[in-house]
Amino acid sequence: MEGLCHNDLNPSNLLLTDKNLYIIDFEFAARGDIFFDLATIAWLLEDSSRKFLIKKYFGYYSEAFYNKLTKYIYVVKMYNGCWSLVKSLNNNKNYDFKSGAKIIFNDLKSVKF
Protein backbone atom coordinates (compact mmCIF):
# COMPACT_ATOMS: atom_id res chain seq x y z
CA MET A 1 0.00 0.00 0.00
CA GLU A 2 1.69 3.12 -1.21
CA GLY A 3 1.40 6.46 0.48
CA LEU A 4 3.39 9.31 1.96
CA CYS A 5 5.86 7.88 4.49
CA HIS A 6 7.92 9.65 7.11
CA ASN A 7 10.62 6.92 7.00
CA ASP A 8 12.20 8.00 10.31
CA LEU A 9 9.50 7.68 12.95
CA ASN A 10 11.14 7.49 16.35
CA PRO A 11 10.58 9.20 19.71
CA SER A 12 12.95 12.07 18.89
CA ASN A 13 10.74 12.99 15.92
CA LEU A 14 7.52 13.10 17.94
CA LEU A 15 6.54 16.12 20.00
CA LEU A 16 3.70 15.71 22.46
CA THR A 17 1.94 18.66 24.07
CA ASP A 18 -1.03 18.66 26.43
CA LYS A 19 -3.41 18.56 23.46
CA ASN A 20 -1.52 17.51 20.34
CA LEU A 21 1.01 15.13 18.86
CA TYR A 22 3.33 16.62 16.25
CA ILE A 23 5.52 14.68 13.85
CA ILE A 24 8.69 16.56 12.86
CA ASP A 25 11.82 16.04 10.74
CA PHE A 26 10.56 15.04 7.32
CA GLU A 27 14.07 14.79 5.83
CA PHE A 28 13.52 11.21 4.62
CA ALA A 29 9.83 11.54 3.74
CA ALA A 30 8.83 10.03 0.40
CA ARG A 31 6.28 7.82 -1.27
CA GLY A 32 6.57 4.26 -0.14
CA ASP A 33 4.83 1.35 1.49
CA ILE A 34 3.01 2.64 4.58
CA PHE A 35 3.82 -0.60 6.36
CA PHE A 36 7.41 0.63 6.80
CA ASP A 37 6.19 3.50 9.01
CA LEU A 38 3.71 1.23 10.78
CA ALA A 39 6.53 -1.22 11.50
CA THR A 40 8.69 1.49 13.07
CA ILE A 41 5.79 2.20 15.42
CA ALA A 42 4.95 -1.47 16.05
CA TRP A 43 8.51 -2.71 16.54
CA LEU A 44 8.43 -2.50 20.35
CA LEU A 45 4.73 -3.24 20.78
CA GLU A 46 3.28 -6.47 22.12
CA ASP A 47 1.41 -8.66 19.66
CA SER A 48 -2.04 -7.55 20.85
CA SER A 49 -1.03 -3.88 20.50
CA ARG A 50 0.19 -4.53 16.95
CA LYS A 51 -3.21 -5.96 16.08
CA PHE A 52 -4.89 -2.96 17.74
CA LEU A 53 -2.69 -0.60 15.66
CA ILE A 54 -3.78 -2.33 12.45
CA LYS A 55 -7.45 -2.12 13.44
CA LYS A 56 -7.23 1.56 14.35
CA TYR A 57 -5.19 2.51 11.28
CA PHE A 58 -7.25 0.67 8.66
CA GLY A 59 -10.61 0.49 10.45
CA TYR A 60 -10.49 -3.32 10.59
CA TYR A 61 -8.07 -6.12 11.37
CA SER A 62 -6.76 -8.50 8.71
CA GLU A 63 -4.35 -11.44 9.01
CA ALA A 64 -2.81 -10.37 5.70
CA PHE A 65 -2.06 -6.92 7.19
CA TYR A 66 -0.64 -8.54 10.32
CA ASN A 67 1.64 -10.82 8.29
CA LYS A 68 2.85 -7.92 6.18
CA LEU A 69 3.49 -5.83 9.30
CA THR A 70 5.50 -8.69 10.82
CA LYS A 71 7.70 -8.88 7.73
CA TYR A 72 8.21 -5.13 7.70
CA ILE A 73 9.20 -5.19 11.38
CA TYR A 74 12.00 -7.55 10.35
CA VAL A 75 13.06 -5.12 7.62
CA VAL A 76 13.00 -2.16 10.03
CA LYS A 77 15.05 -4.04 12.60
CA MET A 78 17.60 -5.09 9.97
CA TYR A 79 17.81 -1.50 8.71
CA ASN A 80 18.31 -0.16 12.24
CA GLY A 81 20.88 -2.82 13.08
CA CYS A 82 22.91 -1.93 9.98
CA TRP A 83 22.54 1.79 10.68
CA SER A 84 23.79 1.25 14.24
CA LEU A 85 26.86 -0.60 12.97
CA VAL A 86 27.69 2.23 10.58
CA LYS A 87 27.05 4.81 13.30
CA SER A 88 29.42 2.94 15.65
CA LEU A 89 32.32 3.68 13.29
CA ASN A 90 32.10 7.42 13.94
CA ASN A 91 30.33 7.79 17.25
CA ASN A 92 30.39 11.09 19.14
CA LYS A 93 27.40 10.20 21.35
CA ASN A 94 27.36 8.63 24.78
CA TYR A 95 25.75 5.46 23.42
CA ASP A 96 27.31 2.17 22.36
CA PHE A 97 25.84 1.74 18.86
CA LYS A 98 27.77 -1.48 18.27
CA SER A 99 26.16 -3.12 21.30
CA GLY A 100 22.78 -1.81 20.15
CA ALA A 101 23.31 -3.44 16.76
CA LYS A 102 24.27 -6.70 18.43
CA ILE A 103 21.04 -6.69 20.46
CA ILE A 104 18.98 -6.09 17.31
CA PHE A 105 20.75 -8.79 15.28
CA ASN A 106 20.41 -11.31 18.13
CA ASP A 107 16.70 -10.53 18.22
CA LEU A 108 16.44 -11.16 14.48
CA LYS A 109 17.95 -14.64 14.87
CA SER A 110 14.80 -15.76 16.71
CA VAL A 111 12.38 -14.60 14.00
CA LYS A 112 10.47 -17.35 12.20
CA PHE A 113 8.26 -16.67 9.21
Side-chain angles (χ1 to χ4, degrees):
M1 297 187 142
E2 253 192 47
L4 179 60
C5 297
H6 185 277
N7 292 317
D8 192 24
L9 285 176
N10 66 70
S12 65
N13 289 332
L14 301 174
L15 298 176
L16 182 62
T17 67
D18 290 339
K19 298 180 182 183
N20 297 302
L21 173 68
Y22 298 96
I23 301 172
I24 63 169
D25 189 9
F26 290 88
E27 175 182 2
F28 300 114
R31 284 188 61 81
D33 194 320
I34 59 172
F35 277 87
F36 185 88
D37 276 352
L38 290 175
T40 61
I41 295 167
W43 175 358
L44 298 174
L45 297 178
E46 297 289 327
D47 192 56
S48 61
S49 295
R50 291 174 180 175
K51 291 177 180 179
F52 180 78
L53 175 66
I54 290 169
K55 185 174 182 180
K56 287 298 181 182
Y57 190 86
F58 294 104
Y60 65 97
Y61 173 79
S62 144
E63 279 295 315
F65 287 165
Y66 178 79
N67 292 334
K68 186 171 183 178
L69 179 63
T70 301
K71 290 174 182 164
Y72 263 95
I73 289 171
Y74 187 92
V75 169
V76 166
K77 286 181 179 182
M78 182 62 76
Y79 171 82
N80 279 276
C82 292
W83 180 88
S84 291
L85 279 180
V86 170
K87 187 75 172 167
S88 73
L89 299 174
N90 187 16
N91 182 13
N92 60 1
K93 306 271 186 202
N94 193 17
Y95 177 78
D96 185 354
F97 285 96
K98 191 171 185 179
S99 293
K102 185 176 181 180
I103 291 168
I104 294 169
F105 291 136
N106 283 336
D107 181 50
L108 288 174
K109 289 179 186 177
S110 66
V111 174
K112 293 179 178 88
F113 289 110

